[in-house]
Amino acid sequence: MMGAVATLQALVAEGVDTIFGYPGGAIIPIYDALYDFKDSLNHVLVRHEQGGIHAAQGYARSSGRVGVALATSGPGATNLVTGLADALIDSTPLVCITGQVFAHLLGTDAFQETDIINITTPVTKWNYQVTRAEEIPEALAKAFYIARSGRPGPVLVDITKNAQMQTFEAPAYAPCTHIRSYRPAPMVRKEYIAQAAALINSAKRPFILWGQGVVLGRAEREFREFVEKSGIPAAWTILGVGALATGHPLNVGMLGMHGNYGPNVLTNECDVLIAIGMRFDDRVTGRLDKYAKQAQVVHLDIDPTEIDKNVKTTVPVWGDCKETLPLLTALVERREHTAWLARFNDYAAQEVDAVIREELFPASEELTMGEVMQQLNEITGGEAVIVSDVGQHQMVACRYARQNQSRSHVTSGGLGTMGFALPAAIGAKFGAPHRPVVAVIGDGGFQMTIQELGTIMQTGVDVKIIILNNQFLGMVRQWQELFHQRRYSFVDIQSPDFVAVAAGYRIAGQRVGDRAELRPALEKMLAHPGSFLLEVMVTKENNIFPMVPQGCSVAEIRLR
Amino acid sequence: MSPEPADRQEYNITAYTENQVGLLNRIAIIFSRRKINIESLNVSPSEIEGIHRFNIVIVETEEVVEKLAKQIEKQVEVLKVYFNTNADVIWQEMALYKVPTDVIAEKVLVERLLRENGARAVVIRKDYTVFETTGHREETDNLIRALQPYGLIEFVRSARIAIIKASDGFHRKLQEFERREPSEEVAENEFLNDREQVFTM
Ligand SMILES: Cc1ncc(C[n+]2csc(CCOP(=O)(O)OP(=O)(O)O)c2C)c(N)n1
C-alpha cells in the first residue's frame, strides 16, 4: 500500500468524515489518493490554509470530534501556525497533516522546505515528522490519541513526499490507546474529593467558576447536577459558555474583563471559590494579587500544570471532571444559598439599569450591537450555534447570546485571533449540520479571511454571516479612547461594499442601518435557504461595559 | 529590574524521557519562553534501556522550579520529572585542562599543584598535556586559576551530572506506571525512533 493511501485509511479508521485542506507539491500524493476516497472523506477546499485550520477548529468545537486540516510543505504549513496557536491555547483537538520535501532533501533548503516541526513545537501538543511509509499508521494513531485525550490539543504530523509515495506491507490499522510516557488524566485522589466537599459544605458564600473543561469532558450533566444539588451560584469563562444554559437560575453570568458585574465583584467576596475546568486566565482574574484573596480555592482540572499556576489552591482536585464531579456531588449537602444568590441578582439589576437596557433596547436612533443579538435571540430561541470573531462584537455576542445547549458558541478565546469566525463558522456547520450556524463578525476581522466566501460558494455550506460594522477597529478604538486620550491611531478602517462582495461570490446579502429593517432582515436571513450575509451598520463609537481595566482588580469593574 | 528574590538557588531538575528526536527542543523552550537561563544541561541514557535522563541546572525559586517541572512532565514523551536542591543530590562536573608540556616538566610547583587538586593526566604529548579533574564548580575553578600563570592553553568543563540521594532509581517507578496503565497489548511503534538510513545527503 502507498503511504498516501495509508494516511487516508488511518483518517477513515479514526472516524473522520470531513477534512479541510489546500493542495501543493509536497502533498500531491495524498491528494492523488484522495481522488479515490471521495465516498468516505469529504474534502473541503478552502481558500487559505489559515482558513482550513480555523474551519477544522470550528468543526471540532461544534461536534466534539477531532478536526483535520491538510496543507502542503513550506508556505502551506506555515499558514497553519496561527490556527495551531489558537487551538493549543483553547484546547481544541486537531490533527494537521503537512506534506514535506523528500527525506533526502531535509535540511538542504530545498524548494518549499521549512522546518515545520521546529516552527510548530511551541504551538502543538505533539508533533512528529514521518520519513518512511511504515511509520504512517502508528504516527497517525498516536496523533489522534494525543489530540483527543486528556486535555485536548492540536498535533501536527509532517510526512515527507517519499513516505507518501512509498509502498509497504500495511498491517491492519490499530488505534492507539496507550503511550508509555503519556498520562492523559491524572489519578483521582479520593482524599482531595472529601476535603473539597468538606470545604464546600462549610462555606457560607461559595461560588463556582466554570470553563471549557466541563465541555471538553462532556460533563455538562454531571456539572448541572453538582450546581443544582449544592445550590451554588455559577459563572462562566468565555469558553465555558453554554455548558449550563444561560437561562438557568444558578447561572449568574460571564466572568472577566467584559463579563458581568456581579460575578466579578463577588469573586472578591466569596469564601470558597470552586474553579472547574478553567485556568484563571489574566482576562478572567485581572490583577492577580488582588484576586479572591479572601477565598479558599478548590480547583478541579485534568491538567496538573493548571493547578497553582496562577491562583494558589486550598484543595486541588486532579482529574477529568466527568469523573470527579459525581464523586463531589455525592458528598456535598443539598443547599440553597438564597441570600447569597440574591446579591448576584442585585448586581445584575444594577447592570441592567446602567448598561444592558440601553444596549438591548436603545433609545437612540442608531443601532447597537446588543440589540442585534437580542433580536437574534428572539428569533432563534437560543438554538443557533454562534461563531464570533474578535473585538467588541465578540464581547457583545458572548454577553448577550442566549445559549440553551453546550457547544453553541465557537470563539477564539485564548489567542483572540481576528479572522477566526468566517472559516470557523464554515467548519462549525460541517460539524453540526442540523443546527443553524450564525457568524458574528466585525468589519475588521471579516476582511482578514474574507476569501473564505469562496469556500462557501463552492461547497454551498449554509452559514449566516452578520457583520457588525462600526467602521472602526472597535475594540482598539475603545482602548485608545479610554486609555490613550482618544488618539485614534490607525483604527478607522474602510470596507468594501460587503453585500456586493458577497454577491460576487453568489451569496445573498443585505445591508441594514435602520431599526425598522433589522428584525425583518434577520428573519429573512434565517429563513434563506443557504448562506446569507447581513451587514448591520451600528453606532460608530460605542464602548463595551462593564469593563475591568487592565491592571485593576475584578472588584474594580467599571459600569461606565 | 526587580531585586533577586533571596530564595533563589541552584536546582537540579532530573527528567526521565523517551529517546525522541526533537524532545530536547520541546524541553528547552519551556525555559526560553519564560526567559529562564539554563546553567547546565546534560542528556544521557539512564539505567533503563531506551529511557534518557536529562539533568538541568537552573537558579530559581522553588515555586518557579515546581511549575517548570510540571510543564516538562506534561510533554508527551516525558515520563517523570524530579527537582532537587544541591543538598539533595550528589553532583559532579568534569574539567579538562590543556597545558604546555615543557612547563609541566620543568616546574615542580605545577606538578604539586596538580597533585593537590587531584588532577589526572589524560594525554601527554611533546607539545601539550591534558589533565582532568572532577568535582564541584569551586574545585574545578581553583585549578584554572592556579594554572593560568603557567600558560593554560585551553579549558573545558562538562555539564553537571547528579544523582538524587533519596531516590532508588527509576526501574520501580516505571513498573508502577505500567501497573497502573499497562501497555501490554499495545506495540510501541518500532519505527518511530529508528531513523537511520534516512539522511543520504
Ligand atoms: C490577528 C489579529 N490582529 C490584531 C488583533 C488586535 N485586535 C483586537 S480587537 C481588534 C479590532 C477588531 O475590529 P473589528 O473586527 O472591526 O471588530 P469590533 O471590535 O469593531 O467589533 C484588533 C485589531 C487581533 N486580535 N488579532
Side-chain angles (χ1 to χ4, degrees), chain A residues 221-527:
Chain A
R221 185 172 52 81
E222 291 79 357
F223 176 63
R224 184 164 43 76
E225 284 165 7
F226 172 69
V227 172
E228 287 175 353
K229 183 174 182 199
S230 65
I232 302 173
W236 39 278
T237 72
I238 192 171
L239 294 188
V241 59
L244 187 67
T246 26
H248 193 283
L250 288 168
N251 183 340
V252 293
M254 175 166 131
L255 294 161
M257 184 173 272
H258 293 291
N260 292 112
Y261 194 34
N264 275 306
V265 173
L266 294 174
T267 298
N268 275 6
E269 292 188 30
C270 66
D271 57 355
V272 174
L273 196 66
I274 306 142
I276 305 175
M278 58 86 73
R279 58 190 179 86
F280 293 108
D281 179 71
D282 57 277
R283 281 291 189 271
V284 162
T285 63
R287 234 179 111 153
L288 259 185
D289 59 352
K290 290 189 176 175
Y291 183 77
K293 285 294 163 205
Q294 79 296 340
Q296 310 228 58
V297 178
V298 177
H299 193 173
L300 285 74
D301 209 292
I302 197 168
D303 180 354
T305 64
E306 289 303 341
I307 299 204
D308 288 341
K309 186 180 83 177
N310 296 333
V311 170
K312 266 261 172 257
T313 50
T314 318
V315 183
V317 182
W318 288 292
D320 186 341
C321 61
K322 177 109 184 154
E323 200 183 329
T324 55
L325 276 172
L327 297 172
L328 197 55
T329 306
L331 299 184
V332 298
E333 291 161 7
R334 188 171 291 283
R335 293 263 289 272
E336 279 180 33
H337 295 275
T338 321
W340 171 233
L341 183 61
R343 296 204 52 203
F344 284 91
N345 294 334
D346 287 348
Y347 277 111
Q350 287 180 46
E351 190 177 336
V352 168
D353 285 344
V355 183
I356 297 176
R357 188 171 305 116
E358 183 54 27
E359 274 293 318
L360 302 191
F361 308 99
S364 77
E365 292 266 287
E366 290 175 304
L367 292 176
T368 64
M369 294 182 177
E371 72 184 300
V372 179
M373 292 313 297
Q374 169 63 21
Q375 298 286 322
L376 189 67
N377 284 339
E378 287 177 15
I379 304 169
T380 63
E383 295 300 328
V385 177
I386 307 287
V387 184
S388 54
D389 208 72
V390 173
Q392 293 185 312
H393 64 280
Q394 176 189 33
M395 292 301 123
V396 170
C398 290
R399 282 172 55 83
Y400 299 121
R402 192 189 303 160
Q403 319 256 234
N404 298 342
Q405 44 176 313
S406 193
R407 298 197 180 277
S408 292
H409 203 129
V410 178
T411 197
S412 167
L415 201 67
T417 305
M418 282 172 75
F420 174 82
L422 181 61
I426 295 170
K429 183 70 187 180
F430 281 103
H434 303 300
R435 300 186 64 192
V437 171
V438 181
V440 179
I441 317 182
D443 45 324
F446 190 70
Q447 292 181 69
M448 282 206 174
T449 47
I450 194 167
Q451 74 284 351
E452 298 309 330
L453 290 173
T455 307
I456 293 179
M457 172 181 69
Q458 188 162 357
T459 57
V461 64
D462 178 3
V463 172
K464 314 301 187 199
I465 303 159
I466 300 178
I467 299 176
L468 296 178
N469 189 348
N470 55 5
Q471 301 166 62
F472 269 120
L473 298 174
M475 189 57 99
V476 179
R477 187 209 55 74
Q478 173 167 346
W479 282 55
Q480 289 174 343
E481 177 187 333
L482 298 177
F483 311 118
H484 297 272
Q485 298 83 43
R486 287 183 169 268
R487 286 155 56 91
Y488 288 172
S489 183
F490 302 100
V491 285
D492 118 27
I493 183 170
Q494 290 188 6
S495 294
D497 179 339
F498 287 125
V499 176
V501 171
Y505 284 101
R506 319 263 179 274
I507 295 169
Q510 187 182 343
R511 169 198 278 186
V512 299
D514 287 335
R515 185 151 297 128
E517 299 171 321
L518 177 61
R519 180 69 174 237
L522 283 167
E523 279 166 353
K524 178 172 152 197
M525 172 185 88
L526 285 158

Side-chain angles (χ1 to χ4, degrees), chain A residues 118 124 126 178 181 303, chain B residues 25-26 67 74 76-77 181:
Chain A
N118 275 311
T124 49
W126 183 75
H178 175 91
S181 54
D303 180 354
Chain B
N25 193 19
R26 255 186 199 278
K67 287 180 189 178
K74 181 173 166 175
V76 168
E77 277 108 1
E181 289 171 45

